[in-house]
Amino acid sequence: MNLVVLQNWLDNASFAILFLTMLVYWGGAAFPNLPYLAALGTAGMAIANLCMATLLGARWIEAGYFPLSNLYESLFFLTWGITTVHLIAESSSRSRLVGVVTAPVAMLIAAFATLTLPSQMQISEPLVPALKSNWLMMHVSVMMLSYSALMVGSLLAIAFLVVTRGQNIQLQGSSVGTGGYRSNGYRLHKVSEIISQPPTSAVENNGFARFESSSNGNGNGNTAVLNLVSTSEPQTVASAEPLSPQRLSLAETLDNISYRIIGLGFPLLTIGIIAGGVWANEAWGSYWSWDPKETWALITWLVFAAYLHARITRGWQGRSPAILAATGFVVVWVCYLGVNLLGKGLHSYGWFF
């Protein structure tokens, strides 16, 4: 088969599959009682991932070099990375909400590469001398994978802010750094303690308290009862409507998996920047030249370094680091695409002005 025809078919198929997958995930969020939609969404992401991997493989065979030399190839590699990280995150979190935020972004990137880029930017061309190096695969692929992971982690942080309505809630989980144990909004009490111990403030518990009851008939006290706590204490947080247990559980899941994925993307970004410096010295005689791409890569590194520092050493959790990660989503896009299209530099694919 003609590899060019195969690539044209695969890029359109990837876009179509991602579009349908986005609709499936949104339908699953709107109608959670339809369990088969979750399986369809995962299958759609996996099929799109396979299509893009085949596209990149065909491109590699046709051109004879790793397919990351122009914007078209890097966009599909980025989308492939996003779908890969998505599948990992969905498998780890068991939450189909991951696809609600990642599927539309992956679809839009594929649509931009397939439908918007001029045809001359989609054609595979011989490498310029500076790119004829083994560092092309090492540096660019690691950077693109780091962008994929950081974007997915940031998208989940944005989803966390949406689920919690931007409230500053307390979370429990392994992603709170050295801050130690944090209440997730519930307290478990034995039946004998319900009267003897006063309930915890609604401010600390997001407006709810949870009590054990032996009303299940066997007296083992395994039934959990959720009661709303009323309080007359001055409140700084609880003026908003308390979150339901389902939202709190979902928020904890999103916060945890977002933290872990950003924790995966950050060392990849670090390795990619170091590899880029070595390659720059080999190609241009300088490890660092303050090119716009290099400057924004450093800004991206500092933003996510601040995020991880705040969580690991300062014990931040919940809304504050999520806002920082959401800011990082914009910074990653400026670093990846903005300076490449709008600025003139050593890394530019071309510019609009």
Side-chain angles (χ1 to χ4, degrees):
M1 177 184 287
N2 188 325
L3 290 179
V4 176
V5 175
L6 176 63
Q7 293 168 37
N8 292 335
W9 185 86
L10 286 172
D11 61 7
N12 286 282
S14 300
F15 162 67
I17 293 170
L18 286 171
F19 178 73
L20 294 174
T21 302
M22 178 191 70
L23 296 180
V24 168
Y25 273 114
W26 287 2
F31 304 100
N33 295 327
L34 300 176
Y36 64 86
L37 289 179
L40 280 178
T42 303
M45 275 292 193
I47 294 171
N49 181 278
L50 181 61
C51 285
M52 286 179 287
T54 306
L55 166 64
L56 294 170
R59 190 92 171 184
W60 195 348
I61 295 172
E62 178 207 354
Y65 55 82
F66 194 69
L68 277 175
S69 65
N70 60 29
L71 182 58
Y72 174 83
E73 295 167 353
S74 72
L75 283 168
F76 269 106
F77 191 89
L78 176 68
T79 311
W80 173 82
I82 288 175
T83 56
T84 300
V85 175
H86 160 88
L87 293 171
I88 296 172
E90 190 174 72
S91 175
S92 301
S93 65
R94 305 294 180 185
S95 174
R96 297 300 182 261
L97 188 63
V98 176
V100 174
V101 292
T102 58
V105 172
M107 185 273 297
L108 289 172
I109 297 173
F112 178 69
T114 305
L115 307 175
T116 305
L117 284 184
S119 57
Q120 62 267 23
M121 295 186 69
Q122 301 184 18
I123 299 173
S124 179
E125 297 179 348
L127 290 176
V128 298
L131 296 180
K132 293 180 179 179
S133 170
N134 292 329
W135 287 105
L136 172 66
M137 181 186 299
M138 172 62 182
H139 166 62
V140 184
S141 63
V142 173
M143 288 297 292
M144 297 305 297
L145 289 174
S146 72
Y147 291 159
S148 301
L150 294 175
M151 284 182 184
V152 173
S154 299
L155 284 169
L156 295 177
I158 294 171
F160 169 86
L161 293 173
V162 173
V163 167
T164 60
R165 306 190 195 100
Q167 297 183 36
N168 191 16
I169 63 173
Q170 294 291 316
L171 300 174
Q172 171 189 341
S174 59
S175 67
V176 295
T178 58
Y181 178 90
R182 299 194 189 284
S183 171
N184 67 342
Y186 306 101
R187 292 190 65 193
L188 283 173
H189 297 271
K190 296 180 181 179
V191 176
S192 59
E193 296 175 334
I194 293 180
I195 299 177
S196 60
Q197 292 187 2
T200 305
S201 168
V203 176
E204 299 178 7
N205 284 327
N206 300 306
F208 291 94
R210 186 177 176 180
F211 300 100
E212 285 187 357
S213 170
S214 59
S215 59
N216 55 0
N218 54 17
N220 59 7
N222 289 332
T223 301
V225 180
L226 185 71
N227 291 331
L228 178 65
V229 178
S230 60
T231 178
S232 58
E233 299 176 4
Q235 298 183 15
T236 59
V237 177
S239 58
E241 180 184 355
L243 298 178
S244 67
Q246 292 80 9
R247 277 181 175 262
L248 287 171
S249 176
L250 181 57
E252 284 187 358
T253 300
L254 291 172
D255 179 78
N256 190 282
I257 197 67
S258 171
Y259 167 73
R260 293 175 186 277
I261 291 176
I262 291 175
L264 170 66
F266 181 75
L268 290 174
L269 179 66
T270 304
I271 294 171
I273 291 175
I274 293 172
V278 176
W279 187 16
N281 184 63
E282 180 184 292
W284 302 317
S286 173
Y287 288 100
W288 194 270
S289 58
W290 294 105
D291 179 73
K293 186 78 164 183
E294 296 172 350
T295 303
W296 277 96
L298 177 61
I299 294 172
T300 304
W301 189 90
L302 291 173
V303 169
F304 287 102
Y307 171 89
L308 293 174
H309 172 75
R311 298 203 66 141
I312 296 172
T313 66
R314 304 293 297 174
W316 283 20
Q317 52 83 49
R319 182 178 64 182
S320 297
I323 293 174
L324 191 56
T327 304
F329 180 76
V330 178
V331 173
V332 169
W333 271 110
V334 173
C335 176
Y336 167 60
L337 199 58
V339 297
N340 288 59
L341 294 178
L342 300 176
K344 184 175 181 179
L346 296 171
H347 293 79
S348 296
Y349 297 116
W351 50 92
F352 292 150
F353 303 107

